[in-house]
């Protein structure tokens, strides 16, 4: 494209459907949030935003593919605290730089973390769970969505706070991990609230605690780690990115569509019902997302290096 015609094409954008790469299995938290916000965003831009699940390597496979796509606005992605905050600390050969290889669109939702377990696990509360995890040692099975995923980094952090060393069982996303937890094949995991709310409410899994200072209105009966005296507070986020070089007019259209989706009552209700946290106006701009990525990289890199080193001892 010559520079002179690119802006004209960006003005007409979009003239066909847009692919949104979700870097985890269908049915999990990233997929759930993508599908909820895409519905209204598609209405605003007048073209369908279609999810393509490209799972693997804790989300880094799909994000690397999306980062390398033609930056024309027809391939975008749903990244998160793992793919855009933690991955560089865990993948020395990561094919993308979260701070420099993207055109941020905006934050889609905050997702508090819960400690959840199979319903047949004998521990009836967090205190008993901690005693159980310590007594079981490597016999305890801890599910996670691959190195660098949110469930991985929040899980490693939990194990390092508790001083436990379970057997880690990798999945392509916490959607399939949750299915195995419901059928009792894995013991526990730390997961984003939107994935587990329905199964906690339905009694199909146990929730020992939510890692927040205050209870979530979506699960008011689940105690917080703070009230239980556990030094473990962590919340994740999901956000939309385009590849670096996407025309500013296209980025602006997508950011406007996301902003309108997050103002749409039906979209808001669906996110809130699942325990999602809706970013305020200032927190959902491309500039705010760029700052968030930079601060998350600075925050997670030392924490993860220390937790991984402790886990190896
Ligand atoms: C997913 O969509 O499966 C999750 O976001 C995985 C994770 O990061 O734990």
């Amino acid at each position: 494209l010559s520079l002179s015609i690119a802006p004209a094409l960006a003005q007409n954008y979009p003239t066909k459907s847009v692919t949104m790469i979700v870097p985890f299995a269908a049915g999990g938290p990233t997929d759930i949030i993508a599908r909820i916000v895409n519905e209204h965003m598609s209405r605003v831009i007048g073209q369908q935003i279609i999810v393509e699940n490209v799972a693997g390597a804790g989300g880094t496979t799909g994000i690397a593919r999306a980062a390398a796509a033609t930056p024309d606005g027809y391939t975008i992605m749903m990244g998160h605290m793992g793919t855009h905050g933690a991955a560089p600390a865990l993948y020395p050969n990561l094919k993308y730089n979260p701070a420099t290889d993207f055109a941020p669109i905006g934050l889609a939702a905050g997702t508090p973390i819960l400690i959840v377990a199979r319903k047949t696990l004998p521990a009836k509360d967090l205190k008993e769970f901690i005693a159980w995890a310590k007594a079981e040692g490597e016999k305890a099975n801890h599910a996670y969505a691959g190195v660098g995923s949110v469930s991985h980094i929040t899980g490693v952090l939990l194990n390092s706070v508790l001083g436990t060393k379970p057997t880690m069982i990798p999945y392509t996303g916490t959607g399939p991990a949750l299915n195995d937890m419901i059928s009792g094949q894995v013991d526990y995991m730390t997961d984003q609230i939107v994935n587990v709310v329905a199964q906690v409410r339905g009694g199909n899994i146990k929730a020992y605690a939510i890692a927040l200072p205050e209870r979530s209105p979506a699960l008011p009966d689940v105690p917080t780690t703070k009230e239980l005296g556990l030094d473990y507070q962590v919340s994740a986020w999901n956000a939309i990115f385009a590849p670096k070089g996407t025309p500013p007019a296209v980025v602006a259209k997508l950011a406007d569509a996301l902003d309108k989706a997050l103002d749409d009552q039906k979209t808001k209700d669906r996110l809130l019902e699942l325990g999602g946290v809706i970013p305020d106006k200032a927190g959902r701009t491309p500039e705010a997302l760029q700052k968030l990525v930079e601060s998350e990289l600075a925050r997670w890199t030392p924490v993860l290096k220390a937790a991984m080193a402790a886990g190896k001892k």
Side-chain angles (χ1 to χ4, degrees), residues 22-25 27-32 58 80 82-83 144-146 148-152 154 172-176 190-192 195 238:
V22 163
F24 291 99
T30 316
D31 188 72
I32 291 170
H80 72 4
T83 59
Y144 72 111
S149 63
V150 165
S151 48
H152 179 239
T154 58
T172 54
T174 54
T190 56
D191 198 12
Q192 299 166 71
N195 194 39
N238 292 257

Side-chain angles (χ1 to χ4, degrees), residues 205-247:
I205 58 170
K206 286 182 179 177
Y208 289 122
I210 184 163
L212 284 182
E214 276 163 27
R215 292 190 182 204
S216 166
L219 285 174
D221 296 337
V222 175
T224 67
T225 46
K226 186 172 182 205
E227 67 193 86
L228 297 170
L230 182 67
D231 183 18
Y232 177 71
Q233 282 178 33
V234 59
S235 191
W237 49 268
N238 292 257
I240 303 174
F241 298 84
K244 177 171 78 177
T246 301

Side-chain angles (χ1 to χ4, degrees), residues 32-298:
I32 291 170
I33 290 169
R35 288 173 201 271
I36 292 175
V37 298
N38 281 355
E39 200 176 306
H40 195 82
M41 284 180 73
S42 297
R43 271 197 286 276
V44 175
I45 66 172
Q47 290 285 348
Q48 284 300 313
I49 302 176
I50 297 164
V51 165
E52 185 184 339
N53 299 89
V54 181
T60 61
T61 303
I63 296 300
R65 188 189 295 181
T70 306
D72 56 5
Y74 292 101
T75 305
I76 59 175
M77 72 209 86
M78 185 65 80
H80 72 4
M81 187 173 82
T83 59
H84 284 75
L90 301 167
Y91 291 93
N93 300 317
L94 191 65
K95 291 205 182 68
Y96 60 86
N97 181 332
T100 56
D101 287 339
F102 299 90
I105 305 296
L107 191 59
T111 52
I113 298 296
L114 277 97
I115 304 169
V116 291
R118 63 178 162 87
K119 68 167 187 261
T120 49
L121 202 131
K124 69 175 183 313
D125 56 24
L126 184 72
K127 197 164 157 237
E128 288 189 11
F129 167 75
I130 296 171
W132 173 89
K134 287 186 172 160
E136 289 292 290
E138 285 176 9
K139 280 188 281 162
N141 288 327
H142 179 158
Y144 72 111
V147 170
S149 63
V150 165
S151 48
H152 179 239
I153 59 176
T154 58
V156 162
L157 198 61
L158 177 69
N159 295 336
S160 101
V161 169
L162 301 183
T164 50
K165 294 192 175 77
T167 299
M168 302 292 289
I169 314 283
Y171 287 85
T172 54
T174 54
L178 181 65
N179 290 339
D180 275 6
M181 184 169 292
I182 293 167
S183 63
Q185 291 175 60
V186 284
D187 294 322
Y188 76 100
M189 67 176 163
T190 56
D191 198 12
Q192 299 166 71
I193 190 165
V194 296
N195 194 39
V196 296
V197 143
Q199 304 302 338
V200 172
R201 282 190 198 133
N204 298 322
I205 58 170
K206 286 182 179 177
Y208 289 122
I210 184 163
L212 284 182
E214 276 163 27
R215 292 190 182 204
S216 166
L219 285 174
D221 296 337
V222 175
T224 67
T225 46
K226 186 172 182 205
E227 67 193 86
L228 297 170
L230 182 67
D231 183 18
Y232 177 71
Q233 282 178 33
V234 59
S235 191
W237 49 268
N238 292 257
I240 303 174
F241 298 84
K244 177 171 78 177
T246 301
V250 169
V251 169
K253 266 189 193 169
L254 290 166
D256 172 65
L258 174 64
D259 180 40
K260 292 198 164 93
L262 296 175
D263 282 342
D264 170 60
Q265 198 57 47
K266 193 172 147 215
T267 307
K268 286 205 290 203
D269 288 348
R270 287 171 72 194
L271 288 170
L272 293 171
E273 165 75 10
L274 294 175
V277 177
I278 295 170
D280 61 21
K281 287 277 200 197
R284 55 175 94 142
T285 64
E287 297 74 31
L289 178 54
Q290 180 65 30
K291 285 209 182 83
L292 177 68
V293 167
E294 286 166 15
S295 67
E296 288 288 83
L297 288 168

